[in-house]
Amino acid sequence: MPLRPWLTAVLAGLIGLACPAAGAAELPIFDAHVHYSHDAWDNVPPAVALKLVREAGVKRVLVSSSNDEGQQQLVQLAPEVFLPALRPYRQRGDQNGWWRDPGIVAYLEERLAKYRYVAIGEFHIFGADVDLPVPRRMVALARQHGLVLHSHSDADAVERQFAQWPEARILWAHAGFDTPERVAALLRKYPRLWADLAFRTDHAPEGQLDPAWKTLFLEFPDRFMVGTDTFTPERWPYMVEHARWSRQWLAQLPRAVAEQIAWKNGEALFAGARR
């Protein structure tokens, strides 16, 4: 079945099954990791994307796209919901090797002159590549415009970004796919480091919260955010189910901590940058 009809069928099923009251009555969510790239807007039109967000009970979304036009469609449709983050990707292929492409700098400068953003990212960078000229310029632009860095990086790259800009606010994508112990070490070292939890490494049984992650959430209740990561169009229909699953494990935390991770931390981090 072609992609568009397949997605339309799945979307219709999910939206029909989801109970609107569930999203409205339960814990609201700030989703800090969403993409709406060129293949997404062809298969999940902006109005459908917004409907999915609302069915999921998601109150705010940090969204980026490759290229930038996708997220601009969402921001134009619902600026009170979608907060734009600028990726250094003119197309998906830029993900591999963008840090050595001087053309990326011109692209970032052009977009920043045209639109307002709350973050730069999500970008993929590892280790010493952060110290190359193109990423250094990107960090400098984030500093100039007061933007959060949404960094898909290893721990080394995170530390190098702070070395370039000690006052940076860094949102660590996927919590670095790292262990709770390693994440804790960096959070203790860098008070301006946050982490989204998209695809976090979790070895607990289905429906249970990993004890090591629970301990970490209790130690740093103000430093984590929920993330779905719609890195392909097929992930968009999953937003409703992901929100349900997120509320399931959040319910195993004290209510005040659950509220912080679900939405209050995202609201606080981006409060000064929203339109």
Side-chain angles (χ1 to χ4, degrees):
M1 182 183 292
L3 182 59
R4 179 65 176 270
W6 179 86
L7 270 178
T8 301
V10 174
L11 289 168
L14 277 173
I15 293 171
L17 289 173
C19 174
E26 297 193 33
L27 206 60
I29 287 176
F30 184 116
D31 196 316
H33 195 140
V34 170
H35 303 298
Y36 192 65
S37 297
H38 53 82
D39 49 358
W41 75 69
D42 286 339
N43 293 285
V44 184
V48 175
L50 178 59
K51 186 171 185 179
L52 280 168
V53 167
R54 288 177 169 160
E55 291 286 349
V58 173
K59 64 178 297 182
R60 204 97 61 202
V61 176
L62 180 67
V63 61
S64 63
S65 60
S66 309
N67 56 34
D68 192 49
E69 295 302 327
Q71 67 169 334
Q72 296 304 334
Q73 295 181 52
L74 293 181
V75 172
Q76 183 176 9
L77 177 65
E80 75 284 0
V81 174
F82 296 104
L83 304 181
L86 175 60
R87 304 191 90 180
Y89 305 158
R90 299 155 298 191
Q91 56 190 356
R92 281 191 183 275
D94 284 338
Q95 179 175 321
N96 301 311
W98 68 270
W99 50 89
R100 295 185 184 275
D101 183 351
I104 294 297
V105 171
Y107 172 73
L108 292 173
E109 291 174 340
E110 180 267 326
R111 303 309 286 186
L112 287 166
K114 186 173 183 179
Y115 295 110
R116 182 178 178 184
Y117 301 89
V118 302
I120 286 184
E122 176 209 15
F123 54 85
H124 299 71
I125 196 80
F126 300 93
D129 286 340
V130 170
D131 293 327
L132 293 170
V134 172
R136 277 188 174 276
R137 179 58 181 157
M138 179 194 69
V139 172
L141 286 169
R143 185 173 191 168
Q144 176 184 338
H145 292 270
L147 304 177
V148 172
L149 293 167
H150 192 189
S151 184
H152 182 133
S153 306
D154 55 7
D156 183 26
V158 168
E159 299 212 67
R160 289 171 183 270
Q161 288 170 71
F162 276 120
Q164 290 181 32
W165 181 16
E167 298 79 24
R169 293 168 298 153
I170 297 179
L171 177 58
W172 197 9
H174 312 285
F177 291 113
D178 220 323
T179 64
E181 294 75 17
R182 180 58 176 155
V183 175
L186 259 69
L187 290 175
R188 293 183 189 118
K189 186 174 182 180
Y190 298 106
R192 295 172 71 85
L193 176 65
W194 289 260
D196 80 52
L197 297 168
F199 292 107
R200 79 172 186 270
T201 303
D202 192 332
H203 302 294
E206 178 67 25
Q208 297 300 308
L209 181 57
D210 187 315
W213 281 105
K214 183 175 183 179
T215 298
L216 186 56
F217 297 152
L218 293 175
E219 182 178 356
F220 298 100
D222 58 341
R223 308 282 284 282
F224 291 98
M225 301 173 207
V226 173
T228 303
D229 193 3
T230 54
F231 64 94
T232 66
E234 293 87 348
R235 289 281 297 176
W236 267 92
Y238 182 64
M239 182 170 284
V240 176
E241 173 62 18
H242 185 268
R244 184 203 64 79
W245 173 79
S246 297
R247 292 186 181 95
Q248 185 178 26
W249 64 259
L250 285 166
Q252 298 169 52
L253 295 167
R255 178 70 182 190
V257 175
E259 289 179 348
Q260 284 188 273
I261 295 173
W263 64 275
K264 288 185 177 179
N265 293 340
E267 290 290 315
L269 180 58
F270 295 103
R274 293 206 304 271
R275 288 169 176 253

